[in-house]
PDB file of all heavy atoms in Angstrom:
ATOM      1  N   ALA A  16      25.805   4.656 -19.077  1.00  0.00           N
ATOM      2  CA  ALA A  16      25.365   3.555 -18.227  1.00  0.00           C
ATOM      3  C   ALA A  16      25.556   3.876 -16.745  1.00  0.00           C
ATOM      4  O   ALA A  16      25.001   3.207 -15.894  1.00  0.00           O
ATOM      5  CB  ALA A  16      26.114   2.282 -18.591  1.00  0.00           C
ATOM      6  N   GLU A  17      26.341   4.886 -16.446  1.00  0.00           N
ATOM      7  CA  GLU A  17      26.594   5.267 -15.059  1.00  0.00           C
ATOM      8  C   GLU A  17      25.446   6.093 -14.474  1.00  0.00           C
ATOM      9  O   GLU A  17      25.328   6.210 -13.266  1.00  0.00           O
ATOM     10  CB  GLU A  17      27.901   6.057 -14.965  1.00  0.00           C
ATOM     11  CG  GLU A  17      29.121   5.279 -15.419  1.00  0.00           C
ATOM     12  CD  GLU A  17      29.392   4.042 -14.581  1.00  0.00           C
ATOM     13  OE1 GLU A  17      29.216   4.109 -13.356  1.00  0.00           O
ATOM     14  OE2 GLU A  17      29.783   3.014 -15.153  1.00  0.00           O
ATOM     15  N   ALA A  18      24.621   6.676 -15.314  1.00  0.00           N
ATOM     16  CA  ALA A  18      23.518   7.502 -14.838  1.00  0.00           C
ATOM     17  C   ALA A  18      22.450   6.626 -14.184  1.00  0.00           C
ATOM     18  O   ALA A  18      22.206   5.503 -14.605  1.00  0.00           O
ATOM     19  CB  ALA A  18      22.904   8.289 -15.994  1.00  0.00           C
ATOM     20  N   LYS A  19      21.825   7.154 -13.158  1.00  0.00           N
ATOM     21  CA  LYS A  19      20.770   6.430 -12.461  1.00  0.00           C
ATOM     22  C   LYS A  19      19.507   6.450 -13.316  1.00  0.00           C
ATOM     23  O   LYS A  19      19.081   7.499 -13.786  1.00  0.00           O
ATOM     24  CB  LYS A  19      20.502   7.107 -11.120  1.00  0.00           C
ATOM     25  CG  LYS A  19      20.089   6.161 -10.046  1.00  0.00           C
ATOM     26  CD  LYS A  19      19.997   6.897  -8.729  1.00  0.00           C
ATOM     27  CE  LYS A  19      20.237   5.936  -7.617  1.00  0.00           C
ATOM     28  NZ  LYS A  19      20.000   6.514  -6.317  1.00  0.00           N
ATOM     29  N   VAL A  20      18.912   5.293 -13.530  1.00  0.00           N
ATOM     30  CA  VAL A  20      17.712   5.162 -14.346  1.00  0.00           C
ATOM     31  C   VAL A  20      16.500   5.620 -13.539  1.00  0.00           C
ATOM     32  O   VAL A  20      16.363   5.279 -12.368  1.00  0.00           O
ATOM     33  CB  VAL A  20      17.526   3.691 -14.789  1.00  0.00           C
ATOM     34  CG1 VAL A  20      16.210   3.496 -15.502  1.00  0.00           C
ATOM     35  CG2 VAL A  20      18.686   3.265 -15.667  1.00  0.00           C
ATOM     36  N   SER A  21      15.627   6.385 -14.178  1.00  0.00           N
ATOM     37  CA  SER A  21      14.400   6.843 -13.532  1.00  0.00           C
ATOM     38  C   SER A  21      13.217   6.010 -14.003  1.00  0.00           C
ATOM     39  O   SER A  21      13.071   5.756 -15.201  1.00  0.00           O
ATOM     40  CB  SER A  21      14.131   8.308 -13.876  1.00  0.00           C
ATOM     41  OG  SER A  21      15.108   9.129 -13.303  1.00  0.00           O
ATOM     42  N   ILE A  22      12.406   5.589 -13.040  1.00  0.00           N
ATOM     43  CA  ILE A  22      11.172   4.891 -13.378  1.00  0.00           C
ATOM     44  C   ILE A  22      10.016   5.571 -12.652  1.00  0.00           C
ATOM     45  O   ILE A  22      10.191   6.137 -11.577  1.00  0.00           O
ATOM     46  CB  ILE A  22      11.227   3.384 -13.046  1.00  0.00           C
ATOM     47  CG1 ILE A  22      11.352   3.148 -11.547  1.00  0.00           C
ATOM     48  CG2 ILE A  22      12.350   2.704 -13.782  1.00  0.00           C
ATOM     49  CD1 ILE A  22      11.154   1.695 -11.160  1.00  0.00           C
ATOM     50  N   LEU A  23       8.860   5.519 -13.280  1.00  0.00           N
ATOM     51  CA  LEU A  23       7.658   6.127 -12.714  1.00  0.00           C
ATOM     52  C   LEU A  23       6.721   5.022 -12.251  1.00  0.00           C
ATOM     53  O   LEU A  23       6.363   4.133 -13.022  1.00  0.00           O
ATOM     54  CB  LEU A  23       6.967   6.999 -13.769  1.00  0.00           C
ATOM     55  CG  LEU A  23       5.673   7.691 -13.357  1.00  0.00           C
ATOM     56  CD1 LEU A  23       5.883   8.613 -12.167  1.00  0.00           C
ATOM     57  CD2 LEU A  23       5.102   8.464 -14.536  1.00  0.00           C
ATOM     58  N   LEU A  24       6.364   5.064 -10.983  1.00  0.00           N
ATOM     59  CA  LEU A  24       5.428   4.105 -10.396  1.00  0.00           C
ATOM     60  C   LEU A  24       4.078   4.795 -10.272  1.00  0.00           C
ATOM     61  O   LEU A  24       3.976   5.834  -9.629  1.00  0.00           O
ATOM     62  CB  LEU A  24       5.908   3.664  -9.012  1.00  0.00           C
ATOM     63  CG  LEU A  24       7.362   3.194  -8.906  1.00  0.00           C
ATOM     64  CD1 LEU A  24       7.724   2.917  -7.458  1.00  0.00           C
ATOM     65  CD2 LEU A  24       7.589   1.989  -9.769  1.00  0.00           C
ATOM     66  N   VAL A  25       3.045   4.215 -10.888  1.00  0.00           N
ATOM     67  CA  VAL A  25       1.728   4.841 -10.885  1.00  0.00           C
ATOM     68  C   VAL A  25       0.699   3.884 -10.303  1.00  0.00           C
ATOM     69  O   VAL A  25       0.524   2.772 -10.794  1.00  0.00           O
ATOM     70  CB  VAL A  25       1.287   5.235 -12.323  1.00  0.00           C
ATOM     71  CG1 VAL A  25      -0.035   5.980 -12.288  1.00  0.00           C
ATOM     72  CG2 VAL A  25       2.357   6.051 -13.023  1.00  0.00           C
ATOM     73  N   ASP A  26       0.036   4.309  -9.241  1.00  0.00           N
ATOM     74  CA  ASP A  26      -1.048   3.526  -8.644  1.00  0.00           C
ATOM     75  C   ASP A  26      -1.825   4.425  -7.701  1.00  0.00           C
ATOM     76  O   ASP A  26      -1.246   5.289  -7.050  1.00  0.00           O
ATOM     77  CB  ASP A  26      -0.497   2.319  -7.891  1.00  0.00           C
ATOM     78  CG  ASP A  26      -1.529   1.200  -7.754  1.00  0.00           C
ATOM     79  OD1 ASP A  26      -2.616   1.471  -7.211  1.00  0.00           O
ATOM     80  OD2 ASP A  26      -1.249   0.086  -8.204  1.00  0.00           O
ATOM     81  N   ASP A  27      -3.127   4.227  -7.627  1.00  0.00           N
ATOM     82  CA  ASP A  27      -3.942   5.049  -6.737  1.00  0.00           C
ATOM     83  C   ASP A  27      -4.006   4.481  -5.320  1.00  0.00           C
ATOM     84  O   ASP A  27      -4.571   5.103  -4.428  1.00  0.00           O
ATOM     85  CB  ASP A  27      -5.351   5.243  -7.299  1.00  0.00           C
ATOM     86  CG  ASP A  27      -6.100   3.940  -7.508  1.00  0.00           C
ATOM     87  OD1 ASP A  27      -5.475   2.872  -7.451  1.00  0.00           O
ATOM     88  OD2 ASP A  27      -7.320   3.997  -7.736  1.00  0.00           O
ATOM     89  N   LYS A  28      -3.393   3.328  -5.106  1.00  0.00           N
ATOM     90  CA  LYS A  28      -3.374   2.710  -3.776  1.00  0.00           C
ATOM     91  C   LYS A  28      -1.967   2.801  -3.190  1.00  0.00           C
ATOM     92  O   LYS A  28      -1.027   2.206  -3.730  1.00  0.00           O
ATOM     93  CB  LYS A  28      -3.819   1.253  -3.857  1.00  0.00           C
ATOM     94  CG  LYS A  28      -5.259   1.125  -4.319  1.00  0.00           C
ATOM     95  CD  LYS A  28      -5.687  -0.316  -4.413  1.00  0.00           C
ATOM     96  CE  LYS A  28      -7.126  -0.347  -4.922  1.00  0.00           C
ATOM     97  NZ  LYS A  28      -7.529  -1.672  -5.355  1.00  0.00           N
ATOM     98  N   PRO A  29      -1.818   3.529  -2.087  1.00  0.00           N
ATOM     99  CA  PRO A  29      -0.489   3.699  -1.493  1.00  0.00           C
ATOM    100  C   PRO A  29       0.203   2.375  -1.154  1.00  0.00           C
ATOM    101  O   PRO A  29       1.427   2.267  -1.277  1.00  0.00           O
ATOM    102  CB  PRO A  29      -0.775   4.493  -0.216  1.00  0.00           C
ATOM    103  CG  PRO A  29      -2.076   5.193  -0.484  1.00  0.00           C
ATOM    104  CD  PRO A  29      -2.848   4.276  -1.383  1.00  0.00           C
ATOM    105  N   GLY A  30      -0.548   1.362  -0.770  1.00  0.00           N
ATOM    106  CA  GLY A  30       0.043   0.058  -0.452  1.00  0.00           C
ATOM    107  C   GLY A  30       0.719  -0.574  -1.652  1.00  0.00           C
ATOM    108  O   GLY A  30       1.758  -1.233  -1.512  1.00  0.00           O
ATOM    109  N   ASN A  31       0.137  -0.408  -2.825  1.00  0.00           N
ATOM    110  CA  ASN A  31       0.744  -0.951  -4.047  1.00  0.00           C
ATOM    111  C   ASN A  31       2.047  -0.228  -4.376  1.00  0.00           C
ATOM    112  O   ASN A  31       3.024  -0.851  -4.809  1.00  0.00           O
ATOM    113  CB  ASN A  31      -0.224  -0.859  -5.215  1.00  0.00           C
ATOM    114  CG  ASN A  31      -1.400  -1.794  -5.082  1.00  0.00           C
ATOM    115  OD1 ASN A  31      -1.396  -2.713  -4.273  1.00  0.00           O
ATOM    116  ND2 ASN A  31      -2.434  -1.555  -5.860  1.00  0.00           N
ATOM    117  N   LEU A  32       2.061   1.091  -4.190  1.00  0.00           N
ATOM    118  CA  LEU A  32       3.287   1.855  -4.433  1.00  0.00           C
ATOM    119  C   LEU A  32       4.377   1.430  -3.455  1.00  0.00           C
ATOM    120  O   LEU A  32       5.540   1.289  -3.844  1.00  0.00           O
ATOM    121  CB  LEU A  32       3.018   3.357  -4.306  1.00  0.00           C
ATOM    122  CG  LEU A  32       2.163   3.970  -5.408  1.00  0.00           C
ATOM    123  CD1 LEU A  32       1.813   5.415  -5.060  1.00  0.00           C
ATOM    124  CD2 LEU A  32       2.871   3.908  -6.746  1.00  0.00           C
ATOM    125  N   LEU A  33       4.003   1.207  -2.218  1.00  0.00           N
ATOM    126  CA  LEU A  33       4.953   0.759  -1.206  1.00  0.00           C
ATOM    127  C   LEU A  33       5.538  -0.608  -1.576  1.00  0.00           C
ATOM    128  O   LEU A  33       6.744  -0.834  -1.471  1.00  0.00           O
ATOM    129  CB  LEU A  33       4.269   0.695   0.163  1.00  0.00           C
ATOM    130  CG  LEU A  33       5.137   0.271   1.333  1.00  0.00           C
ATOM    131  CD1 LEU A  33       6.237   1.291   1.586  1.00  0.00           C
ATOM    132  CD2 LEU A  33       4.283   0.099   2.576  1.00  0.00           C
ATOM    133  N   ALA A  34       4.692  -1.515  -2.047  1.00  0.00           N
ATOM    134  CA  ALA A  34       5.144  -2.848  -2.446  1.00  0.00           C
ATOM    135  C   ALA A  34       6.103  -2.772  -3.643  1.00  0.00           C
ATOM    136  O   ALA A  34       7.147  -3.431  -3.652  1.00  0.00           O
ATOM    137  CB  ALA A  34       3.949  -3.736  -2.782  1.00  0.00           C
ATOM    138  N   LEU A  35       5.754  -1.964  -4.647  1.00  0.00           N
ATOM    139  CA  LEU A  35       6.633  -1.804  -5.811  1.00  0.00           C
ATOM    140  C   LEU A  35       7.986  -1.248  -5.394  1.00  0.00           C
ATOM    141  O   LEU A  35       9.035  -1.721  -5.823  1.00  0.00           O
ATOM    142  CB  LEU A  35       5.996  -0.874  -6.845  1.00  0.00           C
ATOM    143  CG  LEU A  35       4.905  -1.464  -7.715  1.00  0.00           C
ATOM    144  CD1 LEU A  35       4.227  -0.363  -8.524  1.00  0.00           C
ATOM    145  CD2 LEU A  35       5.473  -2.524  -8.638  1.00  0.00           C
ATOM    146  N   ARG A  36       7.956  -0.236  -4.546  1.00  0.00           N
ATOM    147  CA  ARG A  36       9.195   0.388  -4.086  1.00  0.00           C
ATOM    148  C   ARG A  36      10.060  -0.626  -3.318  1.00  0.00           C
ATOM    149  O   ARG A  36      11.271  -0.699  -3.517  1.00  0.00           O
ATOM    150  CB  ARG A  36       8.879   1.595  -3.206  1.00  0.00           C
ATOM    151  CG  ARG A  36      10.090   2.411  -2.848  1.00  0.00           C
ATOM    152  CD  ARG A  36       9.698   3.669  -2.102  1.00  0.00           C
ATOM    153  NE  ARG A  36       9.260   4.732  -2.981  1.00  0.00           N
ATOM    154  CZ  ARG A  36      10.096   5.514  -3.668  1.00  0.00           C
ATOM    155  NH1 ARG A  36      11.382   5.343  -3.576  1.00  0.00           N
ATOM    156  NH2 ARG A  36       9.625   6.474  -4.439  1.00  0.00           N
ATOM    157  N   ALA A  37       9.427  -1.440  -2.483  1.00  0.00           N
ATOM    158  CA  ALA A  37      10.162  -2.442  -1.702  1.00  0.00           C
ATOM    159  C   ALA A  37      10.816  -3.484  -2.606  1.00  0.00           C
ATOM    160  O   ALA A  37      11.953  -3.897  -2.373  1.00  0.00           O
ATOM    161  CB  ALA A  37       9.217  -3.114  -0.711  1.00  0.00           C
ATOM    162  N   ILE A  38      10.116  -3.892  -3.649  1.00  0.00           N
ATOM    163  CA  ILE A  38      10.656  -4.896  -4.577  1.00  0.00           C
ATOM    164  C   ILE A  38      11.819  -4.337  -5.395  1.00  0.00           C
ATOM    165  O   ILE A  38      12.810  -5.023  -5.636  1.00  0.00           O
ATOM    166  CB  ILE A  38       9.543  -5.401  -5.522  1.00  0.00           C
ATOM    167  CG1 ILE A  38       8.522  -6.215  -4.730  1.00  0.00           C
ATOM    168  CG2 ILE A  38      10.116  -6.219  -6.667  1.00  0.00           C
ATOM    169  CD1 ILE A  38       7.238  -6.478  -5.485  1.00  0.00           C
ATOM    170  N   LEU A  39      11.699  -3.082  -5.812  1.00  0.00           N
ATOM    171  CA  LEU A  39      12.669  -2.490  -6.732  1.00  0.00           C
ATOM    172  C   LEU A  39      13.842  -1.784  -6.055  1.00  0.00           C
ATOM    173  O   LEU A  39      14.795  -1.407  -6.729  1.00  0.00           O
ATOM    174  CB  LEU A  39      11.957  -1.506  -7.664  1.00  0.00           C
ATOM    175  CG  LEU A  39      10.887  -2.117  -8.558  1.00  0.00           C
ATOM    176  CD1 LEU A  39      10.093  -1.028  -9.257  1.00  0.00           C
ATOM    177  CD2 LEU A  39      11.505  -3.067  -9.561  1.00  0.00           C
ATOM    178  N   GLU A  40      13.801  -1.596  -4.732  1.00  0.00           N
ATOM    179  CA  GLU A  40      14.824  -0.802  -4.068  1.00  0.00           C
ATOM    180  C   GLU A  40      16.231  -1.386  -4.212  1.00  0.00           C
ATOM    181  O   GLU A  40      17.211  -0.645  -4.189  1.00  0.00           O
ATOM    182  CB  GLU A  40      14.477  -0.577  -2.602  1.00  0.00           C
ATOM    183  CG  GLU A  40      14.572  -1.796  -1.721  1.00  0.00           C
ATOM    184  CD  GLU A  40      14.119  -1.519  -0.299  1.00  0.00           C
ATOM    185  OE1 GLU A  40      13.890  -0.344   0.044  1.00  0.00           O
ATOM    186  OE2 GLU A  40      13.987  -2.492   0.455  1.00  0.00           O
ATOM    187  N   VAL A  41      16.361  -2.679  -4.399  1.00  0.00           N
ATOM    188  CA  VAL A  41      17.688  -3.295  -4.546  1.00  0.00           C
ATOM    189  C   VAL A  41      18.360  -2.909  -5.870  1.00  0.00           C
ATOM    190  O   VAL A  41      19.565  -3.094  -6.017  1.00  0.00           O
ATOM    191  CB  VAL A  41      17.617  -4.829  -4.432  1.00  0.00           C
ATOM    192  CG1 VAL A  41      17.130  -5.249  -3.067  1.00  0.00           C
ATOM    193  CG2 VAL A  41      16.766  -5.426  -5.518  1.00  0.00           C
ATOM    194  N   LEU A  42      17.601  -2.369  -6.813  1.00  0.00           N
ATOM    195  CA  LEU A  42      18.142  -2.025  -8.133  1.00  0.00           C
ATOM    196  C   LEU A  42      18.771  -0.638  -8.190  1.00  0.00           C
ATOM    197  O   LEU A  42      19.311  -0.245  -9.219  1.00  0.00           O
ATOM    198  CB  LEU A  42      17.037  -2.134  -9.195  1.00  0.00           C
ATOM    199  CG  LEU A  42      16.438  -3.520  -9.364  1.00  0.00           C
ATOM    200  CD1 LEU A  42      15.311  -3.481 -10.377  1.00  0.00           C
ATOM    201  CD2 LEU A  42      17.499  -4.523  -9.771  1.00  0.00           C
ATOM    202  N   ASP A  43      18.684   0.124  -7.102  1.00  0.00           N
ATOM    203  CA  ASP A  43      19.269   1.465  -7.032  1.00  0.00           C
ATOM    204  C   ASP A  43      18.775   2.355  -8.175  1.00  0.00           C
ATOM    205  O   ASP A  43      19.556   2.887  -8.958  1.00  0.00           O
ATOM    206  CB  ASP A  43      20.792   1.385  -7.026  1.00  0.00           C
ATOM    207  CG  ASP A  43      21.429   2.708  -6.633  1.00  0.00           C
ATOM    208  OD1 ASP A  43      20.828   3.452  -5.821  1.00  0.00           O
ATOM    209  OD2 ASP A  43      22.521   3.015  -7.139  1.00  0.00           O
ATOM    210  N   LEU A  44      17.465   2.477  -8.283  1.00  0.00           N
ATOM    211  CA  LEU A  44      16.828   3.288  -9.312  1.00  0.00           C
ATOM    212  C   LEU A  44      16.323   4.592  -8.722  1.00  0.00           C
ATOM    213  O   LEU A  44      16.084   4.697  -7.518  1.00  0.00           O
ATOM    214  CB  LEU A  44      15.624   2.534  -9.906  1.00  0.00           C
ATOM    215  CG  LEU A  44      15.893   1.170 -10.497  1.00  0.00           C
ATOM    216  CD1 LEU A  44      14.587   0.440 -10.743  1.00  0.00           C
ATOM    217  CD2 LEU A  44      16.678   1.303 -11.777  1.00  0.00           C
ATOM    218  N   ASN A  45      16.120   5.577  -9.567  1.00  0.00           N
ATOM    219  CA  ASN A  45      15.441   6.796  -9.155  1.00  0.00           C
ATOM    220  C   ASN A  45      13.945   6.540  -9.356  1.00  0.00           C
ATOM    221  O   ASN A  45      13.463   6.529 -10.476  1.00  0.00           O
ATOM    222  CB  ASN A  45      15.911   7.981  -9.997  1.00  0.00           C
ATOM    223  CG  ASN A  45      15.190   9.250  -9.620  1.00  0.00           C
ATOM    224  OD1 ASN A  45      14.855   9.472  -8.463  1.00  0.00           O
ATOM    225  ND2 ASN A  45      14.926  10.081 -10.608  1.00  0.00           N
ATOM    226  N   MET A  46      13.229   6.303  -8.268  1.00  0.00           N
ATOM    227  CA  MET A  46      11.800   5.975  -8.355  1.00  0.00           C
ATOM    228  C   MET A  46      10.955   7.195  -8.024  1.00  0.00           C
ATOM    229  O   MET A  46      11.121   7.821  -6.983  1.00  0.00           O
ATOM    230  CB  MET A  46      11.470   4.825  -7.410  1.00  0.00           C
ATOM    231  CG  MET A  46      12.076   3.513  -7.845  1.00  0.00           C
ATOM    232  SD  MET A  46      11.619   2.138  -6.771  1.00  0.00           S
ATOM    233  CE  MET A  46      12.917   2.233  -5.554  1.00  0.00           C
ATOM    234  N   VAL A  47      10.052   7.517  -8.945  1.00  0.00           N
ATOM    235  CA  VAL A  47       9.130   8.627  -8.764  1.00  0.00           C
ATOM    236  C   VAL A  47       7.731   8.042  -8.703  1.00  0.00           C
ATOM    237  O   VAL A  47       7.380   7.169  -9.498  1.00  0.00           O
ATOM    238  CB  VAL A  47       9.245   9.635  -9.937  1.00  0.00           C
ATOM    239  CG1 VAL A  47       8.253  10.762  -9.799  1.00  0.00           C
ATOM    240  CG2 VAL A  47      10.671  10.171 -10.031  1.00  0.00           C
ATOM    241  N   GLU A  48       6.920   8.526  -7.765  1.00  0.00           N
ATOM    242  CA  GLU A  48       5.562   7.990  -7.592  1.00  0.00           C
ATOM    243  C   GLU A  48       4.517   8.984  -8.074  1.00  0.00           C
ATOM    244  O   GLU A  48       4.686  10.189  -7.933  1.00  0.00           O
ATOM    245  CB  GLU A  48       5.302   7.678  -6.117  1.00  0.00           C
ATOM    246  CG  GLU A  48       6.175   6.581  -5.572  1.00  0.00           C
ATOM    247  CD  GLU A  48       5.903   6.300  -4.101  1.00  0.00           C
ATOM    248  OE1 GLU A  48       4.994   6.928  -3.515  1.00  0.00           O
ATOM    249  OE2 GLU A  48       6.603   5.447  -3.533  1.00  0.00           O
TER     250      GLU A  48
END
């Protein structure tokens, strides 16, 4: 449970990826786009 969870964000619009990242950043996840 101590390991950082990785999630993959997939979208062809950079604005959508930016919005997802902004919403999820409080969760301290490893986000890959």
Side-chain angles (χ1 to χ4, degrees):
E17 299 298 321
K19 213 174 207 187
V20 174
S21 293
I22 65 169
L23 179 59
L24 310 175
V25 184
D26 203 303
D27 59 347
K28 296 179 182 166
N31 291 345
L32 290 172
L33 181 65
L35 282 171
R36 188 174 279 281
I38 292 166
L39 298 170
E40 70 184 351
V41 297
L42 298 177
D43 193 32
L44 303 167
N45 178 34
M46 291 183 271
V47 177
E48 295 179 3

